């Protein structure tokens, strides 16, 4: 029999001793504001920020709660504060193509000034033009043109009247112009009298009309040409007065923005449009409003619409008060939030819009700086990834109308000039979303060339422990709590180690630590304490677990009442206590599970009942196949294996997965074949390979505590314990009551490396080793199994056995 040493209680947890620290409370400490234990990720992230070339966007991967978003925001803001402020952007009216607004770029703060200057310019121009067009000088010049035209018009009309009289027609005037009225019997006739004329009289009038038209046509054409000439001279007069009036204002603003070539071109276009539409500037505002009130409804426009709207400036990005490059963090990256949108008004049953209704998005705000987004939001919000990749790929913000993409409703749309995009995207998410995007978009790796991987754990070094103490101090200052004494700091360190499930590691999920700190402060406050101690930390952890352990308690009730059958003493053939971990999301707990095996002659091999019932996962199925390999390698070298075996997790109705019970199932099968009973006061966990070596599993701490709790309720006998893989020893972070029980010798933990060690512990019988001839000792476990399988092989051939 091998001597299997149980674990000493000192190996069950890496305790933190207050005497290891040189302070009594966090009052003596300085706060730590940086990220802790993420050197690789920090190095990758800082390098990604430093690279300014295309495609060097950053994906920050890792579990939630490791401080990725906070670190990204804080450190990006530090760098951005040292970088230049990006340019301002405006949209203005395109006078040649009104549906395609023009984007103008300015130095920081100049965009706002330009908007104000344009507003002032239009105010001055409206005032001055109204003044000049109502001046005596303008009226005199206009009268000179009109006077000459009217004199010549009178002469021509007199000549036309004389010519018409020769053919018995009279020249008449109306609002629509001039017309000719026939004269019959010395008197002009109206339409009613014209209808009563005889055919001969009508024919005579029409013949005279043709002769008259030939004669007066020359005069009429001359009159028309003269009117056109008059209109041209009036337009030239208006333009001359308008140009001289607004010229100085235009020259001033042009000179002010002479360094902006496109702005100068726009100002020139504004001037030309004003001179082409001087009629709007010639009337008093009240008069225009009266006219517009009557005309605009006919045009499908609002009565209060500003006729000078097209001279406005839509300031999309204003950096007049900015310091450094922008850093924008969003948790709602919808298409419109990212790209911006064009708003619409409903007017008389139709939708209308213009360049002033273009609203900026997050891309505009972050342009020239940094945009921090969450991968889950990008992947789950419709069109978010498409808009993000488009901006990254094209390096421009192209505000296509989302209505055109999604809606069947016809609405007028604008195509604003795209704005060049120079921004770095920082995406924060899990490994799952990284793989999802990488597999779903072949260009993802080209867009996000830097991956900053945040680890769930860090080494338990003196340096990192000191940083956690500083983190606690920063929490005290930020949340304005009372101080934590050194025992509380030790309790937090031990909790962090337990959360990491390693004695030599600490958890980097600092949001969980913050929850413990905050709740401990609340408990201390409720007790009226002046400082937070380890007792408050322990109470917080127990209370937090108690809020989450309803399912565990219901399961334990069924164990207590033998609804779920588990033995914790005695010995039975083909029955063993396995250990499982149940994951309730934010809470894990271990529980024992009865595993049974039956063996008999046959050729079906090992049948996993869970698999047959479709309740087994792939990893568990693999573990069963490994057991088949071990049995064949160990026992079936001289004869074929004629074995039928059924293995079952009794009273399992929710399914099973993982290979941590493969060694447990193997022990159970060996017990059935050897007909040797297994101790029921021991529970087992551990994976096995085809060579019989015991491999590490997960959740070892919770599994031990689950079986311990059951044994404690039924009464500790001093013999109960758990068999675990030796490679899991460093992952033990057990509760104090378990450690105390081991120390008192009433509970035992056995680390093993090979299946034979477990066989001897469970069955109290030598496992047995092959001799030089390849035979096991007859009085060993393996020898008994060998003989049983040998007899099975003979029976399968019809041969007689004992």
């Amino acid at each position: 029999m091998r001597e299997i040493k149980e674990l000493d209680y000192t190996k069950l947890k890496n305790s933190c001793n207050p005497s290891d620290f040189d302070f009594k409370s966090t009052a003596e400490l300085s706060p730590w504001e940086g990220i802790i234990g993420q050197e690789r990720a920090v190095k990758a992230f800082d390098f990604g920020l430093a690279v300014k070339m295309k495609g060097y966007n950053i994906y920050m991967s890792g579990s939630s709660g490791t401080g990725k978003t906070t670190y990204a925001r804080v450190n990006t803001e530090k760098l951005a504060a040292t970088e230049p402020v990006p340019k301002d952007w405006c949209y203005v009216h395109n006078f040649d193509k009104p549906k395609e607004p023009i984007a103008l770029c300015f130095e920081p703060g100049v965009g706002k000034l330009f908007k104000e200057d344009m507003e002032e310019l239009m105010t001055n121009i409206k005032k001055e033009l109204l003044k000049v067009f109502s001046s005596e000088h303008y009226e005199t010049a206009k009268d000179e043109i009109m006077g000459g035209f009217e004199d010549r018009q009178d002469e021509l009309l007199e000549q036309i009247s004389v010519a018409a009289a020769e053919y018995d027609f009279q020249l008449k005037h109306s609002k629509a112009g001039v017309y000719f009225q026939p004269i019959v019997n010395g008197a002009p006739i109206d339409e009613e009298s014209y209808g009563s004329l005889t055919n001969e009289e009508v024919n005579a009038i029409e013949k005279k009309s043709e002769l008259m038209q030939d004669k007066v046509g020359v005069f009429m054409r001359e009159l028309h040409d003269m009117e056109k000439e008059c209109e041209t001279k009036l337009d030239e007069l208006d333009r001359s007065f308008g140009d001289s009036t607004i010229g100085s204002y235009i020259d001033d603003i042009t000179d002010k923005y002479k360094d902006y070539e496109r702005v100068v071109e726009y100002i020139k276009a504004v001037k030309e449009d004003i001179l082409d539409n001087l009629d709007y500037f010639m009337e008093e505002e009240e008069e225009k409003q009266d006219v517009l009130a009557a005309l605009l409804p006919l045009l499908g426009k609002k009565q209060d619409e500003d006729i000078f709207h097209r001279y406005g400036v839509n300031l999309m990005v204003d950096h007049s008060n900015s310091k450094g490059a922008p850093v924008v963090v969003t948790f709602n990256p919808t298409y419109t939030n990212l790209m911006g949108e064009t708003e619409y008004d409903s007017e008389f049953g139709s939708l209308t819009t213009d360049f002033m209704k273009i609203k900026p998005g997050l891309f505009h705000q972050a342009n020239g700086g940094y945009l921090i987004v969450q991968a889950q939001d990008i992947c789950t919000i419709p069109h978010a990834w498409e808009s993000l990749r488009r901006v990254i790929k094209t390096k421009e913000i192209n505000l296509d109308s989302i209505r055109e993409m999604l809606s069947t409703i016809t609405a007028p749309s604008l195509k604003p000039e795209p704005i060049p995009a120079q921004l770095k995207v920082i995406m924060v998410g899990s490994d799952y979303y990284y793989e999802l995007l990488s597999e779903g978009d072949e260009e993802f790796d080209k867009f996000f060339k830097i991956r900053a991987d945040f680890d769930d754990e860090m080494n338990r070094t003196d340096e990192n422990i000191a940083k956690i103490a500083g983190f606690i101090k920063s929490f005290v200052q930020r949340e304005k709590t009372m101080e934590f004494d050194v025992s509380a700091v030790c309790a937090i360190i031990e909790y962090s180690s337990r959360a990491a499930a390693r004695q030599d590691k600490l958890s980097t999920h600092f949001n969980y630590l913050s929850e413990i700190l905050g709740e401990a402060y609340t408990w201390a406050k409720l007790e009226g304490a002046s400082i937070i101690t380890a007792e408050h930390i322990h109470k917080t952890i127990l209370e937090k677990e108690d809020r989450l352990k309803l399912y565990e308690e219901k399961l334990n009730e069924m164990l207590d009442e033998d609804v779920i059958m588990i033995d914790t003493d005695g010995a039975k053939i083909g029955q063993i206590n396995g250990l499982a971990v149940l994951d309730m999301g934010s809470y894990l707990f271990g529980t024992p599970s009865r595993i049974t095996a039956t063996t008999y002659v046959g050729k079906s091999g090992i049948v996993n009942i869970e698999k047959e019932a479709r309740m087994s996962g792939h990893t568990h199925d693999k573990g069963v196949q490994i057991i088949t390999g071990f049995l064949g390698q160990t026992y079936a070298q001289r004869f074929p294996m004629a074995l039928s075996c059924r293995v079952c997790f009794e009273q399992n109705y929710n399914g099973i997965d993982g290979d941590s019970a493969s060694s447990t199932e193997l022990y159970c099968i060996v017990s059935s074949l050897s007909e040797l009973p297994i101790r029921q006061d021991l529970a087992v966990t551990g994976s096995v390979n085809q060579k019989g070596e015991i491999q590490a599993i997960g959740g070892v701490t919770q599994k031990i505590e689950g079986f311990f709790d059951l044994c404690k309720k039924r009464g500790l006998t001093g013999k109960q314990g758990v068999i675990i893989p030796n490679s899991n020893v460093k992952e033990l972070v057990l509760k104090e009551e378990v450690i105390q029980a081991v120390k008192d010798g009433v509970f035992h933990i056995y680390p093993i490396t090979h299946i034979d060690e477990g066989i001897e512990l469970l069955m109290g019988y030598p496992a047995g080793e092959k001799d030089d001839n390849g035979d096991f000792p007859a009085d060993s476990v393996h020898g008994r199994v060998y003989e049983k399988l040998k007899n099975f092989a003979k029976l399968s051939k019809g041969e007689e056995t004992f």
Side-chain angles (χ1 to χ4, degrees):
M1 291 279 290
R2 295 172 175 82
E3 181 182 359
I4 311 297
K5 291 185 177 181
E6 65 176 287
L7 274 179
D8 185 76
Y9 76 94
T10 59
K11 302 292 186 181
L12 304 183
K13 184 177 75 170
N14 187 355
S15 299
C16 182
N17 196 325
S19 62
D20 295 336
F21 298 95
D22 58 359
F23 61 88
K24 294 182 179 180
S25 76
T26 53
E28 304 171 35
L29 301 177
S30 298
W32 177 267
E33 298 297 343
I35 198 164
I36 305 172
Q38 302 288 0
E39 288 76 14
R40 178 187 291 104
V42 167
K43 184 178 179 181
F45 182 82
D46 292 345
F47 178 75
L49 287 183
V51 181
K52 301 300 182 183
M53 292 182 287
K54 183 179 180 180
Y56 279 86
N57 299 295
I58 304 171
Y59 188 96
M60 304 179 72
S61 63
S63 301
S64 175
T66 52
K68 301 185 298 296
T69 302
T70 301
Y71 178 80
R73 178 182 56 78
V74 171
N75 285 270
T76 303
E77 286 176 350
K78 287 180 181 178
L79 176 64
T82 67
E83 295 180 335
V85 179
K87 299 182 183 301
D88 292 345
W89 285 93
C90 303
Y91 272 121
V92 294
H93 183 65
N94 187 336
F95 296 101
D96 294 328
K97 299 178 179 179
K99 297 297 183 182
E100 299 178 14
I102 298 170
L104 298 180
C105 178
F106 298 90
E107 291 300 316
V110 178
K112 182 178 181 180
L113 293 177
F114 179 69
K115 178 181 176 68
E116 294 172 352
D117 287 343
M118 285 300 297
E119 291 173 352
E120 183 181 358
L121 173 69
M122 294 313 301
T123 299
N124 290 333
I125 284 178
K126 285 190 285 185
K127 181 177 65 176
E128 293 300 321
L129 286 178
L130 182 60
K131 185 188 299 183
V132 75
F133 286 123
S134 59
S135 67
E136 183 178 347
H137 179 53
Y138 172 75
E139 292 296 335
T140 300
K142 183 178 180 180
D143 288 344
E144 289 180 1
I145 296 174
M146 292 300 296
F149 166 73
E150 290 171 353
D151 291 343
R152 179 58 180 153
Q153 183 185 47
D154 291 341
E155 293 177 6
L156 286 173
L157 290 175
E158 180 61 29
Q159 292 176 352
I160 293 172
S161 180
V162 171
E166 293 178 5
Y167 297 95
D168 296 328
F169 281 92
Q170 185 180 40
L171 181 65
K172 306 289 286 185
H173 297 270
S174 70
K175 292 183 178 179
V178 296
Y179 66 96
F180 298 95
Q181 187 175 21
I183 298 175
V184 178
N185 299 322
I189 62 173
D190 53 23
E191 292 184 9
E192 183 178 352
S193 301
Y194 187 81
S196 61
L197 297 177
T198 63
N199 290 335
E200 290 78 5
E201 290 175 325
V202 171
N203 291 334
I205 291 173
E206 289 179 352
K207 186 174 181 181
K208 289 180 181 180
S209 176
E210 291 177 3
L211 295 173
M212 179 202 65
Q213 293 291 342
D214 291 337
K215 187 169 185 179
V216 303
V218 176
F219 300 114
M220 294 296 295
R221 285 192 292 273
E222 184 178 352
L223 179 61
H224 180 68
D225 292 342
M226 188 179 64
E227 288 177 345
K228 288 179 62 177
E229 180 184 353
C230 180
E231 289 177 0
T232 301
K233 288 183 177 181
L234 288 175
D235 288 342
E236 290 175 353
L237 175 68
D238 292 345
R239 194 175 185 87
S240 174
F241 271 77
D243 193 4
S244 62
T245 301
I246 69 174
S248 60
Y249 294 103
I250 296 294
D251 291 343
D252 289 344
I253 195 171
T254 301
D255 185 65
K256 184 174 182 178
Y257 295 97
K258 62 183 178 182
D259 295 332
Y260 300 94
E261 182 179 346
R262 299 196 70 204
V263 176
V264 171
E265 292 176 0
Y266 168 71
I267 295 172
K268 289 180 180 177
V270 169
K271 178 182 178 181
E272 289 301 313
D273 191 74
I274 291 173
L275 294 177
D276 289 341
N277 295 278
L278 287 172
D279 290 345
Y280 292 121
F281 298 85
M282 293 184 179
E283 300 174 357
E284 290 287 349
E285 194 66 25
E286 293 79 3
E287 296 177 5
K288 285 191 290 185
Q289 290 300 324
D290 292 340
V291 175
L292 289 174
L295 294 180
L296 288 179
L298 302 177
L299 300 175
K301 297 184 179 182
K302 295 180 180 179
Q303 292 188 15
D304 60 351
E305 182 176 355
D306 187 355
I307 202 69
F308 304 105
H309 195 62
R310 60 178 174 270
Y311 304 122
V313 175
N314 186 352
L315 182 57
M316 295 286 288
V317 181
D318 177 20
H319 286 296
S320 57
N321 297 318
S322 300
K323 299 185 187 316
V327 178
V328 177
V329 183
T330 179
F331 296 94
N332 187 29
T334 63
Y335 181 91
T336 53
N337 283 350
L338 288 173
M339 299 295 296
E341 64 175 328
T342 303
E343 296 180 343
Y344 289 81
D345 289 331
S346 178
E347 300 177 0
F348 303 98
S350 62
L351 297 176
T352 63
T353 189
D354 58 60
F355 74 100
M356 291 298 288
K357 291 184 173 62
I358 302 173
K359 304 302 177 184
L362 296 173
F363 285 135
H364 298 92
Q365 297 173 23
N367 199 11
Y370 305 87
L371 177 64
I372 302 175
V373 298
Q374 301 297 312
Q376 181 176 359
D377 298 333
I378 291 295
C379 292
T380 56
I381 294 178
H383 305 290
W385 170 244
E386 291 92 331
S387 59
L388 182 64
R389 79 183 302 278
R390 184 194 306 174
V391 171
I392 293 175
K393 185 173 184 177
T394 63
K395 297 185 74 66
E396 64 180 24
I397 307 169
N398 194 342
L399 191 61
D400 292 333
S401 175
I402 191 69
R403 292 175 184 267
E404 292 184 25
M405 298 170 57
L406 303 179
S407 177
T408 58
I409 299 175
T410 302
S413 62
L414 301 178
K415 292 188 178 296
E417 181 181 2
I419 293 177
Q422 292 289 338
L423 74 160
K424 186 179 291 289
V425 178
I426 301 169
M427 190 182 297
V428 181
S430 64
D431 296 337
Y432 167 77
Y433 285 109
Y434 182 87
E435 297 300 329
L436 182 67
L437 288 167
S438 183
E439 293 178 8
D441 192 323
E442 61 183 11
E443 293 186 300
F444 176 75
D445 293 334
K446 185 171 70 174
F447 297 149
F448 288 85
K449 295 182 179 180
I450 298 294
R451 181 176 181 178
D453 237 340
F454 278 66
D455 202 348
D456 293 329
E457 60 188 22
M458 59 185 173
N459 293 329
R460 183 169 171 170
T461 62
D462 292 342
E463 179 184 358
N464 285 336
I465 290 174
K467 288 179 179 178
I468 288 182
F471 169 79
I472 297 173
K473 177 61 178 179
S474 66
F475 177 86
V476 170
Q477 291 187 348
R478 182 175 64 254
E479 302 297 333
K480 296 178 174 54
T481 70
M482 60 191 75
E483 301 289 347
F484 290 73
D485 73 3
V486 67
S487 69
V489 174
C490 284
I492 287 293
I493 296 299
E494 292 181 354
Y495 172 80
S496 179
S497 190
R498 181 178 171 89
R502 287 281 295 269
Q503 294 182 7
D504 57 347
K505 298 289 185 179
L506 294 169
S507 172
T508 57
H509 289 262
F510 287 96
N511 65 324
Y512 297 155
L513 295 187
S514 295
E515 289 178 11
I516 298 298
L517 295 174
E519 292 178 24
Y521 162 67
T522 303
W523 286 116
K525 186 178 179 182
L526 291 173
E527 292 178 6
S530 59
I531 194 167
I532 302 169
T533 66
E535 286 71 21
H536 298 119
I537 301 297
H538 295 150
K539 181 176 179 61
T540 295
I541 296 170
L542 290 175
E543 292 287 343
K544 194 176 186 68
E545 291 178 352
D546 188 62
R547 294 195 296 268
L548 301 169
K549 64 192 308 181
L550 176 62
Y551 185 83
E552 181 183 7
E553 288 179 354
K554 296 296 183 182
L555 192 62
N556 288 338
E557 285 179 9
M558 290 189 283
L559 288 169
D560 295 341
E561 298 169 359
D562 286 331
V563 174
I564 297 177
M565 295 183 290
I566 298 290
D567 292 330
T568 55
D569 59 9
K572 291 188 178 180
I573 295 173
Q575 177 178 305
I576 193 170
N577 292 326
L579 294 171
V581 170
L582 299 183
D583 187 349
M584 307 306 295
S586 56
Y587 180 62
L588 299 175
F589 68 92
T591 184
S593 178
R594 175 178 288 180
I595 301 173
T596 61
T598 58
T599 56
Y600 46 91
V601 179
K603 295 184 179 180
S604 59
I606 301 176
V607 176
N608 174 12
I609 292 179
E610 267 68 34
K611 181 179 180 181
E612 296 301 310
R614 297 183 179 178
M615 297 173 65
S616 176
H618 297 305
T619 307
H620 182 245
D621 294 341
K622 176 185 175 184
V624 173
Q625 294 301 315
I626 289 172
I627 295 173
T628 301
F630 173 83
L631 293 176
Q633 170 71 23
T634 306
Y635 305 116
Q637 297 298 309
R638 297 175 180 174
F639 52 82
M641 189 179 296
L643 171 67
S644 287
C645 173
R646 295 291 189 274
V647 180
C648 178
F649 277 73
E650 302 293 353
Q651 295 181 286
N652 168 41
Y653 309 110
N654 297 318
I656 190 77
D657 199 7
D659 65 350
S660 65
S662 57
S663 68
T664 314
E665 293 168 309
L666 180 54
Y667 294 132
C668 202
I669 294 170
V670 169
S671 169
S672 177
L673 289 169
S674 67
E675 300 182 17
L676 293 171
I678 290 175
R679 291 173 58 183
Q680 300 299 296
D681 53 9
L682 292 177
V684 182
T685 184
S687 169
V688 67
N689 63 25
Q690 293 187 104
K691 302 298 182 181
E693 297 168 326
I694 302 300
Q695 304 168 144
I697 46 81
V700 64
T701 294
Q702 287 78 17
K703 289 177 178 179
I704 293 173
E705 291 175 349
F707 189 65
F708 172 83
D709 289 342
L710 179 61
C711 293
K712 181 184 175 184
K713 285 183 179 180
R714 295 182 176 183
L716 294 171
T717 63
K719 295 181 179 180
Q720 294 147 331
V722 176
I723 298 173
I724 67 170
N726 185 68
S727 52
N728 279 121
V729 171
K730 62 181 177 295
E731 298 175 4
L732 294 175
V733 279
L734 293 166
K735 295 186 293 187
E736 286 299 327
E737 60 176 337
V738 181
I739 297 172
Q740 188 62 45
V742 172
K743 183 179 180 180
D744 295 340
V746 295
F747 195 77
H748 311 274
I749 299 174
Y750 302 98
I752 64 173
T753 59
H754 196 274
I755 198 75
D756 289 349
E757 300 173 59
I759 288 174
E760 295 182 356
L761 276 169
L762 290 164
M763 301 177 194
Y765 213 80
E769 295 183 6
K770 288 182 178 180
D771 58 21
D772 294 339
N773 295 321
D775 297 320
F776 289 108
D779 60 347
S780 67
V781 176
H782 289 313
R784 293 170 69 95
V785 173
Y786 181 83
E787 288 301 321
K788 176 65 75 70
L789 291 173
K790 184 177 179 180
N791 288 333
F792 280 2
K794 290 180 180 180
L795 288 170
S796 69
K797 295 178 181 179
E799 300 178 12
E800 293 186 3
T801 63
F802 60 87

